[in-house]
Amino acid sequence: MTDRIFLSSPHMSDEGYEMQYVQEAFDTNWIAPLGQNVNGFEQELAEKVGSKAAAALSSGTGALHLALRAAGVDEGDIVFCSTLTFSATANPIIYQNATPVFIDSDHETWNMCSKALEEAFGKYPNVRAVIVVHLYGLSADMDKIMNLCNKHGVAVIEDAAESLGTYYKGVQTGTFGDYGVFSFNGNKIITTSGGGMLVSDNKERIAKTRFWATQSRDSARHYQHSELGFNYRMSNVVAGIGRGQLKVLDQRVEKKRYIYQFYKRELEHLDGVEMMPTNEWDEPNYWLSSMTLKGNVRPIEIMEALEKENIEARPIWKPMHKQPYFEKYNFVGTDVSEQLFENGVCLPSDTKMTDQDLEKVVKIIKNLW
Ligand SMILES: *Cc1c(COP(=O)(O)O)cnc(C)c1O
């Protein structure tokens, strides 16, 4: 397994920052609960992204769930949701017994199409919240989306699980809406082995989120609960890994960009190849370098050729409105996200890849033409 080239795998700092924080947790016996690393990680991440407050949680999925609760989403409410995403974006809508309406992508950003969103507001004026995803580290067009959502007075939750280090017009994605969600799952640009963060400028709501995430314990000596609780808090050991990883985030983004530019230079001229879109207002973190194929070579051929050499590649996310579980819910749009799924492939984008590795991948792909 060690010589396998991955799409994106954990990459700890050369300096051992993560172990220093973890060691500190061991030395002080702050293994659990909470502790200095949790507080430190929350403050350092909030500062890095430019949010007033952050809550460290056990996963990005948990953060999305509590964001929906914080936004007041409840049984029977409608929530607009990007269709081209990982299922973790949509699942929490169901946890809240709310109803998703899936929104198509546009070609320019691969993310939520503002025209489809506008159409959706016309069809479902009583919508409660919008979850907009920044896919593969590409920014959604936040000016257009925020304008529409503000006009309709609807809460915005940004799923920035894949876009830590991505800037839209100079501002970190995940900080435009009422709530932003980051993930530190093993495949993300930085990882804590597993974990998530909810950010917001609303300190009070973040404090409430921490309360919900620790079983909603009222301040009483006996165990008293006036609200439904969850066990969603990040552990102090895990947060130590996060604090160390945050120190190398910029380095990781730099390497991801290098990988993307390598592929672009080597592959873009091949017949039918189109690299994922970059817009002048977008500074992506290039979490996964992806491309679409319009010619004779199909994504499956690339994935199979790479797999033979022990190299991982994957299709683009299958849209939620095409998933067996979610297809019963409504969808607004055309076939943009479906086409991206049919024609797209995510290339190995692991930050530990050497130039030799990149050359190997490129050579295997070029051989198919
Ligand atoms: C990874 C991911 C999540 C979920 O994060 P976890 O920390 O794994 O729960 C949510 N949305 C998107 C788009 C993701 O890629």
Side-chain angles (χ1 to χ4, degrees):
M1 270 318 255
T2 47
D3 57 0
R4 182 166 170 82
I5 298 176
F6 291 100
L7 219 51
S8 185
S9 71
H11 186 176
M12 296 297 115
S13 67
D14 293 337
E15 296 84 352
Y17 296 133
E18 298 85 355
M19 272 312 292
Q20 288 166 25
Y21 288 114
V22 170
Q23 190 62 50
E24 209 173 283
F26 273 68
D27 291 346
T28 55
N29 201 36
W30 279 112
I31 304 303
L34 303 173
Q36 214 175 6
N37 282 336
V38 171
N39 299 337
F41 191 31
E42 285 177 345
Q43 280 164 21
E44 287 151 14
L45 186 120
E47 196 172 308
K48 179 81 183 163
V49 304
S51 273
K52 291 211 175 91
L57 302 169
S58 51
S59 70
T61 309
L64 282 160
H65 187 190
L66 295 187
L68 287 169
R69 291 183 76 85
V73 171
D74 214 334
E75 189 165 352
D77 285 339
I78 289 171
V79 177
F80 295 160
C81 179
S82 303
T83 194
L84 191 64
T85 187
F86 179 48
S87 65
T89 313
N91 283 333
I93 302 171
I94 311 298
Y95 302 164
Q96 280 303 98
N97 295 311
T99 306
V101 171
F102 294 110
I103 311 290
D104 207 2
S105 297
D106 61 33
H107 285 292
E108 291 71 37
T109 65
W110 286 13
N111 284 306
M112 188 180 275
C113 171
S114 55
K115 288 202 193 84
L117 178 62
E118 189 163 20
E119 191 186 330
F121 275 120
K123 280 187 176 163
Y124 308 94
N126 56 342
V127 56
R128 176 72 67 167
V130 176
I131 305 182
V132 54
V133 178
H134 303 287
L135 202 72
Y136 301 133
L138 302 171
S139 300
D141 195 346
M142 290 314 289
D143 279 353
K144 286 185 189 152
I145 289 166
M146 288 308 297
N147 275 342
L148 281 167
C149 293
N150 288 339
K151 194 170 112 191
H152 292 271
V154 171
V156 176
I157 297 164
E158 290 177 82
D159 182 345
E162 301 176 3
S163 73
L164 183 60
T166 294
Y167 294 82
Y168 174 86
K169 300 187 179 173
V171 177
Q172 166 67 51
T173 51
T175 64
F176 290 87
D178 299 87
Y179 302 98
V181 168
F182 298 101
S183 165
F184 312 108
N185 188 31
N187 61 356
K188 298 304 192 305
I189 191 152
I190 61 169
T191 182
T192 59
S193 73
M197 192 78 78
L198 181 67
V199 302
S200 176
D201 282 339
N202 189 331
K203 289 183 183 170
E204 203 181 298
R205 289 273 88 187
I206 290 293
K208 187 77 184 193
T209 300
R210 291 196 192 104
F211 169 77
W212 288 330
T214 40
Q215 308 285 23
S216 295
R217 277 178 63 185
D218 294 343
S219 57
R221 183 163 314 209
H222 57 279
Y223 284 81
Q224 178 169 296
H225 308 272
S226 328
E227 287 189 62
L228 180 63
F230 301 84
N231 185 3
Y232 277 177
R233 211 58 166 115
M234 183 181 278
S235 96
N236 197 50
V237 174
V238 158
I241 306 175
R243 294 181 82 182
Q245 283 272 280
L246 205 52
K247 289 187 193 289
V248 293
L249 171 63
D250 293 346
Q251 279 176 47
R252 297 290 175 268
V253 173
E254 206 175 298
K255 182 62 188 271
K256 295 270 191 192
R257 179 180 298 124
Y258 176 84
I259 292 169
Y260 175 80
Q261 279 163 354
F262 195 103
Y263 286 138
K264 187 177 163 84
R265 189 171 65 237
E266 296 291 330
L267 302 176
E268 202 173 38
H269 63 275
L270 296 174
D271 186 45
V273 166
E274 218 174 292
M275 295 302 291
M276 65 186 190
T278 52
N279 294 285
E280 87 280 354
W281 35 259
D282 192 13
E283 285 170 63
N285 69 3
Y286 299 100
W287 174 56
L288 293 186
S289 284
S290 308
M291 62 186 192
T292 57
L293 300 162
K294 296 282 162 59
N296 292 329
V297 179
R298 302 307 303 147
I300 185 72
E301 293 169 63
I302 291 185
M303 290 184 267
E304 282 176 357
L306 290 171
E307 192 54 56
K308 263 193 213 135
E309 301 292 328
N310 203 17
I311 300 170
E312 187 186 18
R314 295 254 179 189
I316 281 176
W317 300 123
K318 182 173 183 176
M320 288 304 111
H321 72 284
K322 292 287 164 184
Q323 295 287 355
Y325 181 74
F326 288 108
E327 65 191 1
K328 59 181 176 284
Y329 297 104
N330 290 326
F331 165 74
V332 178
T334 59
D335 66 346
V336 177
S337 55
E338 221 181 317
Q339 289 297 324
L340 289 168
F341 167 63
E342 299 284 341
N343 298 313
V345 55
C346 300
L347 300 171
S349 309
D350 199 283
T351 49
K352 293 185 298 306
M353 286 174 82
T354 60
D355 276 9
Q356 237 175 342
D357 293 332
L358 286 164
E359 273 154 20
K360 188 173 168 187
V361 170
V362 158
K363 194 171 157 213
I364 293 165
I365 293 173
K366 280 179 172 169
N367 273 339
L368 296 167
W369 263 263

